[in-house]
Amino acid sequence: MMYDDTIAAIATPPGEGGIGIVRISGKDALLILERIFVPVRPGRWKPYRMRYGHVVDRTGATVDEALAVFMRGPHSFTAEDVAEISVHGGPLVIEQVLQQALAAGARAANPGEFTMRAFLNGRIDLTQAEATLDIITARTTAALALAEAQLGGWLSHELHRIRDLLMDPLAYCTALVDFPEDDVEPQNVEPPLAAAVQALDALVATAQQGIVYRQGARATLIGRPNAGKSSLLNALLRIDRAIVTPIPGTTRDTLEETASLGGVPVVLTDTAGIAESADPIERLGVERSRRAVALADVLLLVVDGLARPGDDDNEIVALTRSKRTILAVNKIDLIDSADAVQECVELLKCAYENLRGAPFDATVAVSALTGHGLDALGTTVARLFLGESSHADGRLVTNARHRDALARAADHARDALDSFRRGVSPDLLAVDLTAAINAVGEVTGEVVGDDLLHAIFSRFCIGK
Ligand code: GDP
């Protein structure tokens, strides 16, 4: 499918930079390029060959010096004719270049429209289009590797294989419905059906880990003032973000930053003291802290290794009762021996678990100051989300949309297998098989409505 109109957008991020790129895609890409770009050396455009010249306006006045390249479809990102013009990376100049492209006949692209065209033109399937977005938004190397693998097409291939496994039995069932039984060669559809069920189940089983790697998790640090929450947050990020100060209660707002903990992108939120305060600004902070606790997937209860539980802990510990919680015993650098650390950690664990009325999910001894125990804390958090099983080949389903559709496909395929074994009539079997194939098609994008496409591609930035 080719589109009538030609789209254009700024492909580089907003702000100042070394270069800015305007991308044009569609059947008039070359025409528009020729209208707004004058190469220094005249001559015909050779695809994929960069040319030096100037972007000009309608009067022929120079807008900026530029490099431009033309790519002939289908060998381009969108599978259409594409032109890319690189100019100096200032917001105003890039905008002016875009305006020239629009004046020359292009339409301003919608978010994700280039990638959507790549999908609708059949160059990539929907899982690969989604992987493109995941590559852009990846915050950890693990998430990036998964997205690159998905773009590479392993999931697309696996889904095609599964689809073929389901197609054969469907063709057989349809033949049985359409023709008298004697005319149809009997076929045992059990092996392909069983293989499809197994493959779908195997994919769904990888999703819990995959989704964690891609979407990450939220961890909120709570604890008494001065326990070292801000310091720990900083140490985990290894950058100086939170304002660390020895005066209690000065972390007035919640601070959020993403750290890579054991390969999992974890949004860490630092909270102000949970204890009630008369200071209105601090009370606002308390409200936000409660919200941060409510949103968290896991809480890090940070306690000072030298302090002992007190009355002001009650409220804080109460918040941990409904959440998975890791006890982080901080400031262990102030304790002289490893034995003494061990003793202190045991004591605090016991005391806080009594207060909590339940064991913690893990206890880790750390020093925000020296960095001791931070790796262990990171892997502890990651393991809490990833579970124990590992999928070392990097072939994980990373998307809840995929998981849900594949789980449905597995159920339908299982029902079909069951029906076949029980000798249910072929027309009923065909219904389940069709549903399973359609559910697989939702993932690859073969069976997908405009609403869903819009929902997926509107999350992209303009120019992608
Ligand atoms: P918060 O109120 O819980 O956010 O605590 P801060 O991070 O502001 O830390 C309070 C004080 O404890 C500061 O003076 C920090 O320098 C100090 N501190 C934090 N973590 C450690 C640690 O691991 N070891 C030592 N010795 N001091 C720490």
Side-chain angles (χ1 to χ4, degrees), residues 224-232 243-246 251 270 330-334 366-370:
R224 293 213 304 243
N226 262 341
K229 298 179 294 297
S230 316
S231 308
L232 193 58
I243 310 149
V244 182
T245 144
T251 312
D270 186 10
N330 189 30
K331 306 195 189 182
I332 56 159
D333 56 288
L334 297 175
V366 297
S367 165
L369 189 72
T370 64

Side-chain angles (χ1 to χ4, degrees), residues 288-356:
R288 292 202 181 145
S289 298
R290 288 188 187 283
R291 222 176 312 139
V293 166
L295 287 175
D297 301 305
V298 64
L299 298 177
L300 301 184
L301 175 58
V302 184
V303 299
D304 182 332
L306 294 182
R308 292 297 168 257
D311 287 347
D312 45 353
D313 276 310
N314 289 337
E315 203 176 345
I316 295 166
V317 172
L319 288 171
T320 70
R321 288 198 185 114
S322 56
K323 289 272 171 183
R324 290 199 278 184
T325 305
I326 296 172
L327 179 68
V329 178
N330 189 30
K331 306 195 189 182
I332 56 159
D333 56 288
L334 297 175
I335 304 171
D336 6 325
S337 73
D339 284 351
V341 167
Q342 180 98 29
E343 214 171 290
C344 163
V345 167
E346 276 308 315
L347 190 139
L348 286 171
K349 176 170 160 2
C350 217
Y352 277 98
E353 284 186 346
N354 267 337
L355 208 55
R356 188 175 187 233

